[in-house]
């Protein structure tokens, strides 16, 4: 496919295309910003697959849609080179190194790390600094998404609703429709009223139930893990951290893993060469072994493949629709509130395991200061390593 200024991918066999993106995946350290910069330098500036303006438009479109942008870029660029099979191979190549490394990390964690009393301090130190990383991520995501007071209000309502136990889909639907219909006050208020009545009805049913809550551990199924990943993949608006609440609700919430193990998975994903959503692979492995890891990973990455593979020709035109853009902006604002509430829940769960809060509080504050002030691809792995070392030395 030749661009208007003569840019086009070089002739590549499917095998060469796969190994090219496999190499990108093996070097994908530092999170989405570093990954996108790597793709831009190699395929736009050096090899001239597409021109810079088209790359920027494509990136803007993918940032509106859910899913890890760097992975979706790889799928889209692979399609430009060799059609849909090229997009599939490019996406698989980019995610494969991180997937294999996370499977290995999950196996080591289950067989050597979990339950080892000598490492409990290190793990707790890691969990404390990961909370600081998530707090910074929530603020950074909010800065990009909450552009108006109405979007900020949607996020706040979503935060409160999530903390009181409202099902996740209610603030998402209400936020999306409310913002999309904001220029129609009657319709917008109707959406808000319906959402409030639904919340009241949900709470009434929950509080009036005669049977006591079932506190037993739900059975782990591959279907449930796949759906947990799919839910996270469909709701990653504004960054991979937004997948956290949905995967947590369907795994920690079912008693399959603990909050501590969940945070360990997020920490590992932050130091591997992969999109951050690869933390789902670790969660699936701990909860359901190799099959569980593959099931939840398939669900998590399916939307990232599908949006590019299915909507390739219509992607830019589709997202240019103002109504859809406002709907997605409202949903994204609600997701910010949901992830903020989840961060609070994780903080409370972590604090409950700490006997002496002074040192962990200092560690949290120091980690938050570093990730807030320092902008570098190495800051996340460095902070995680420091948290592990400090926790191990001070025996939290």
């Amino acid at each position: 496919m030749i661009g208007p200024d003569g840019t086009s991918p070089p002739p590549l066999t499917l095998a060469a295309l796969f190994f090219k993106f496999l190499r990108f995946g093996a070097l994908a350290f530092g999170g989405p910003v570093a990954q996108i910069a790597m793709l831009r330098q190699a395929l736009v500036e050096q090899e001239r697959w597409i021109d810079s303006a088209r790359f920027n438009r494509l990136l803007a479109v993918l940032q509106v849609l859910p899913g890890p942008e760097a992975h979706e870029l790889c799928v889209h660029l692979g399609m430009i080179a060799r059609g849909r099979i090229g997009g599939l191979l490019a996406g698989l190549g980019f995610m494969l190194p991180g997937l294999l490394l996370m499977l290995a990390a999950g196996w080591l964690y289950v067989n050597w790390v979990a339950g080892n009393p000598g490492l409990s301090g290190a793990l707790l130190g890691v969990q404390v600094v990961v909370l600081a990383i998530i707090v910074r991520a929530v603020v950074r995501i909010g800065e990009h998404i909450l552009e108006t007071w109405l979007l900020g209000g949607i996020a706040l309502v979503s935060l409160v609703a999530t903390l009181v136990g409202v099902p996740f889909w209610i603030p998402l639907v209400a936020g999306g429709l409310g913002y999309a219909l904001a220029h129609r006050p009657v319709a917008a208020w109707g959406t808000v009223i319906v959402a409030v009545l639904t919340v009241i009805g949900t709470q009434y049913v929950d509080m009036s139930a005669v049977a006591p809550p079932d506190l037993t551990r739900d059975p782990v199924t591959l279907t449930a893990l796949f759906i947990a990943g799919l839910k996270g993949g469909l709701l990653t608006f504004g960054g991979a951290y937004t997948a956290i609440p949905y995967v947590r609700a369907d795994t920690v919430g079912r008693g399959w893993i603990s909050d501590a193990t969940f945070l360990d998975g997020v920490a590992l994903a932050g130091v591997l060469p992969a999109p951050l959503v690869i933390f789902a692979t670790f969660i699936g492995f701990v909860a359901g072994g190799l099959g569980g890891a593959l099931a939840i990973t398939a669900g998590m990455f399916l939307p990232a493949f599908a949006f590019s593979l299915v909507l390739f020709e219509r992607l830019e035109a589709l997202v240019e629709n103002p109504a859809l853009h406002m709907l997605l902006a409202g949903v994204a604002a609600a997701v910010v509130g949901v992830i903020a509430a989840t961060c609070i829940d994780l903080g409370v769960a972590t604090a409950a395991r700490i006997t002496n809060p002074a040192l962990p509080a200092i560690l949290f504050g120091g980690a938050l200061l570093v990730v807030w002030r320092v902008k570098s691809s190495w800051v996340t792995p460095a902070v995680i390593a420091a948290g592990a070392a400090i926790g191990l030395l001070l025996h939290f």
Side-chain angles (χ1 to χ4, degrees), residues 69-82:
E69 301 97 323
H71 182 268
E72 289 175 325
L73 271 174
C74 290
V75 175
H76 204 87
L77 290 166
M79 290 182 66
I80 291 175
R82 290 297 307 266

Side-chain angles (χ1 to χ4, degrees), residues 254-354:
R254 295 173 185 236
W256 295 345
I257 61 171
S258 66
D259 273 321
T261 300
F262 187 91
L263 286 171
D264 291 336
V266 175
L268 285 168
V271 300
L272 294 181
L276 186 68
V277 293
I278 205 71
F279 78 85
T281 303
F282 175 88
I283 305 304
F285 192 96
V286 175
L290 178 60
L294 297 178
I296 198 171
T297 304
M300 180 65 76
F301 281 90
L302 180 59
F305 281 102
F307 279 120
S308 284
L309 293 176
V310 175
L311 302 175
F312 177 71
E313 293 85 359
R314 301 177 180 86
L315 206 53
E316 295 186 31
L318 179 67
V319 181
E320 285 299 317
N321 186 314
L324 178 61
H325 186 82
M326 293 189 71
L327 177 70
L328 293 176
V331 172
V335 170
V336 173
V338 173
I339 189 176
T342 303
C343 185
I344 293 172
D345 288 339
L346 287 169
V348 170
T350 302
R353 299 192 303 275
I354 295 173

Side-chain angles (χ1 to χ4, degrees), residues 129-186:
V129 300
V130 168
L131 285 172
I133 293 169
I134 295 176
V135 168
R136 180 61 181 124
V138 172
V139 175
R140 184 178 288 118
I141 293 166
E143 289 173 344
H144 292 290
I145 292 176
L146 308 181
E147 298 176 339
T148 68
W149 66 267
L150 180 55
L151 290 172
I154 290 171
L156 181 60
V157 170
S158 177
L159 165 64
V160 174
T162 304
L163 288 176
V164 300
V166 174
F168 81 93
W169 58 269
I170 293 178
L172 300 190
V173 172
L177 291 178
Y179 194 66
L181 301 172
H183 61 292
R184 300 177 183 175
V186 174

Side-chain angles (χ1 to χ4, degrees), residues 54-98:
R54 184 181 177 190
F55 183 90
N56 291 340
R57 290 196 304 271
L58 175 60
L59 182 58
V61 169
L62 296 179
Q63 286 175 333
V64 174
L65 296 176
E69 301 97 323
H71 182 268
E72 289 175 325
L73 271 174
C74 290
V75 175
H76 204 87
L77 290 166
M79 290 182 66
I80 291 175
R82 290 297 307 266
R84 284 182 166 78
I85 186 64
L88 179 63
L89 290 174
L92 289 174
F94 186 72
M95 67 179 286
L96 187 58

